[in-house]
Amino acid sequence: MEINKIDGALLKKAFKGAVNYLISKKEEVNALNVFPVPDGDTGTNMSLTIKSALKQIESLEGSFSVSEVSQAAARGALMGARGNSGVILSQLLRGLAEGLDGLETAGTQEIAIAFKKASETTYKAVMKPIEGTILTVGRETAEYAIRHYKKNDDLVKFLEDVLVEAKKSLDETPNKLQVLKEAGVVDAGGMGLVVLLEGALKVLKGEEISNQEDDEVLKKKAQKEIQFTEADESLEFGYCTEFIINTDYDDIDALREKISPLGDCLLVVGGGGTKIIKIHVHTNDPGKVLQYGCELGLLQDIKIDNMRYQHRETLFDESEVENARESEKEEAIEEKEFSFITVSMGEGMTETFKSLGVDYVVKGGQTMNPSTEDFLKGIDKVGGKVVYLIPNNSNIILSAEQARDISDREIIVIPSKSVPQGIAAILAFNEEASIEENENNMKEALSSVIDAQVTYAVRDTTINGKEIHKDDIIGIASKDIVESGTDITEVTINTVENLMNDDISIVTLFYGEDVTDEDAENLQEKLEEKYDDIDIEVIKGNQPIYYYIMSLE
């Protein structure tokens, strides 16, 4: 059947199909990561980001236009953006929404213009655009759409041609980016974009795409679906109350202060121009909390669970609620001149950062990049007039910057790409220095430390002329595999040796959850014997994925 125009209802259906199709292909996208490490995250980040967009779309009620659907998608993706690919995807949806702004329906011309606007927005979002990535695939796809929309009024036929061009562009990414060519893969982000287009097109052609639940959703359900056979009357507050407010209201502090007397484990997330506020609270009077929400705007996703009997799936992760509970044990947030927020993925690392004066630690890292919303929640929990965000991962920097742009606080992002860099940046901070001096000093400190990681390869590949085999232990430094082998301790020692120079006086190693205390102590003894004039410090980091994360200073 020929489709000349797409309305809001059909766009919503196509969007849902695109999301489910991406989730079904998530691991295929993850497998395209250039480095063969077990933290493939492009597919995961894009699927979580786009699911956040879909959640906002599904909250729309009654009849709605393509403009309203695209605006909802942009809002959801903005808050849920994870990793570089997720942030770029959120900006793509933002541009798409701008291109469809004010339209009830859209035909081939309007879709082509929206594609072009989406591409332009993604390029503006990246400081140094790199060709051979999702940016290129989006741009070349949009350019084709602009050149050809007049040739066909049939939207399905038009999008079939556009998809063919998108796949051609994807296939060409290794010829534009040498690292892809050497690894024998196409760009993962570009693949994710093609999958989304393909999923949407399948729906428009009448195909059914079943609902998908990715591993993260299933994991959360397994954690949360806990049944209590008897009522627990010991709980002070019995009703877990959650909902979202669609509102222009922006005074998060005032709203939190208003709700706070009604319960505990309070989370108030949003504002900053996002048009939505998420509420979580344990209370004995959910009706009163809902009333406060109704005074500010329209409510959606309302969930009220009697915790004395049961605990079911919620809007907030279990870890978020636990963080809220822990925060209530602490003193009220007091205003101060500055605060630090950093990202950590292991208990030992978290304790190290806290010992250095970090005010709030966002849980995350390689296996689960925190979202823009996670950073905003952290900003909301610290009292610094100036807040320094220290992401400690190159794939998290854009999310931190997006949180900075949304927040109405003074936020400075220090683009640390590893835990050792983050530690060096904090140590470079001087309370007596100006904001500008501290920002410069902290950024300069990032280059003062040499860092590396030891993990294992998930597939065969060749990088910079080195042949790597599946399950090899590999040492990674400066986006290069500097060592490989079959023994963790041996590879770690050789990695240190590869990075050692005459200026090094301290070597610090954080050992992960898969390394025993005995093995870590054995490694320390061997390094101390090899480098008797250098301080060797081994700390239990408990991080996943990486056996060791090390710094040489």
Side-chain angles (χ1 to χ4, degrees), residues 33 46 57 71 85 112 140 153 200 204 221 231 250 267 281-282 317 330 409 423 429 452 486 489 525 548:
N33 274 18
M46 292 186 76
I57 292 175
Q71 292 288 347
S85 57
E140 293 182 345
D153 291 333
L204 294 178
K221 281 191 172 183
D250 210 27
L267 290 171
V281 65
H282 292 175
D317 294 351
E330 303 170 359
R409 303 272 293 277
I423 292 172
F429 183 84
T486 58
T489 299
E525 290 175 2
Y548 290 98

Side-chain angles (χ1 to χ4, degrees), residues 56-57 77 116 121 125 157 182 191 228 235 262 323 331 339 362 494 522:
Q56 281 297 300
I57 292 175
K116 185 173 186 296
T121 304
K157 183 63 174 69
E182 190 171 19
M191 177 66 171
F228 297 97
L235 293 175
L262 298 179
N323 285 340
E331 296 182 2
S339 292
V362 178
N494 290 341
N522 177 51

Side-chain angles (χ1 to χ4, degrees), residues 334-546:
E334 61 178 275
E335 188 172 304
K336 51 198 291 193
E337 291 302 315
F338 58 87
S339 292
F340 296 115
I341 296 176
T342 192
V343 179
S344 174
M345 58 179 177
E347 294 174 8
M349 291 183 177
T350 297
E351 289 305 314
T352 297
F353 279 119
K354 286 184 176 180
S355 71
L356 294 173
V358 169
D359 299 84
Y360 186 88
V361 176
V362 178
K363 292 183 178 179
Q366 293 302 115
T367 54
M368 178 54 67
N369 295 159
S371 66
T372 298
E373 187 174 20
D374 291 331
F375 280 112
L376 290 172
K377 184 184 73 174
I379 292 168
D380 208 31
K381 286 184 173 292
V382 299
K385 296 177 183 177
V386 179
V387 180
Y388 295 88
L389 292 188
I390 306 171
N392 298 333
N393 186 308
S394 60
N395 204 36
I396 301 175
I397 294 172
L398 283 182
S399 295
E401 291 175 341
Q402 189 153 276
R404 175 198 63 198
D405 296 340
I406 294 173
S407 177
D408 57 3
R409 303 272 293 277
E410 183 170 2
I411 310 295
I412 295 174
V413 177
I414 305 299
S416 57
K417 298 180 180 179
S418 66
V419 166
Q421 283 192 354
I423 292 172
I426 293 170
L427 292 174
F429 183 84
N430 181 358
E431 291 187 32
E432 304 301 320
S434 67
I435 296 172
E436 293 77 12
E437 288 173 332
N438 271 319
E439 180 178 3
N440 291 334
N441 291 340
M442 294 172 78
K443 287 180 176 178
E444 287 179 7
L446 301 181
S447 59
S448 69
V449 59
I450 301 171
D451 61 275
Q453 306 86 38
V454 176
T455 185
Y456 63 93
V458 295
R459 58 179 168 82
D460 294 346
T461 190
T462 301
I463 295 181
N464 292 335
K466 295 185 179 69
E467 286 191 14
I468 305 298
H469 302 286
K470 185 178 182 295
D471 297 326
D472 277 356
I473 307 301
I474 52 178
I476 304 171
S478 300
K479 296 184 178 181
D480 188 21
I481 296 178
V482 298
E483 187 63 36
S484 65
T486 58
D487 182 80
I488 296 172
T489 299
E490 182 180 338
V491 169
T492 304
I493 291 173
N494 290 341
T495 299
V496 171
E497 184 175 358
N498 266 291
L499 302 176
M500 188 62 68
N501 62 55
D502 293 338
D503 296 326
I504 300 299
S505 59
I506 302 173
V507 175
T508 305
L509 299 103
F510 292 90
Y511 63 97
E513 61 185 9
D514 294 323
V515 176
T516 66
D517 295 345
E518 182 180 359
D519 286 342
E521 290 169 3
N522 177 51
L523 172 65
Q524 183 173 13
E525 290 175 2
K526 289 185 175 182
L527 286 173
E528 287 176 340
E529 182 178 339
K530 186 177 181 70
Y531 304 105
D532 58 4
D533 58 340
I534 291 177
D535 290 332
I536 308 292
E537 185 174 6
V538 176
I539 300 171
K540 189 170 187 175
N542 274 332
Q543 71 272 8
I545 303 297
Y546 293 100

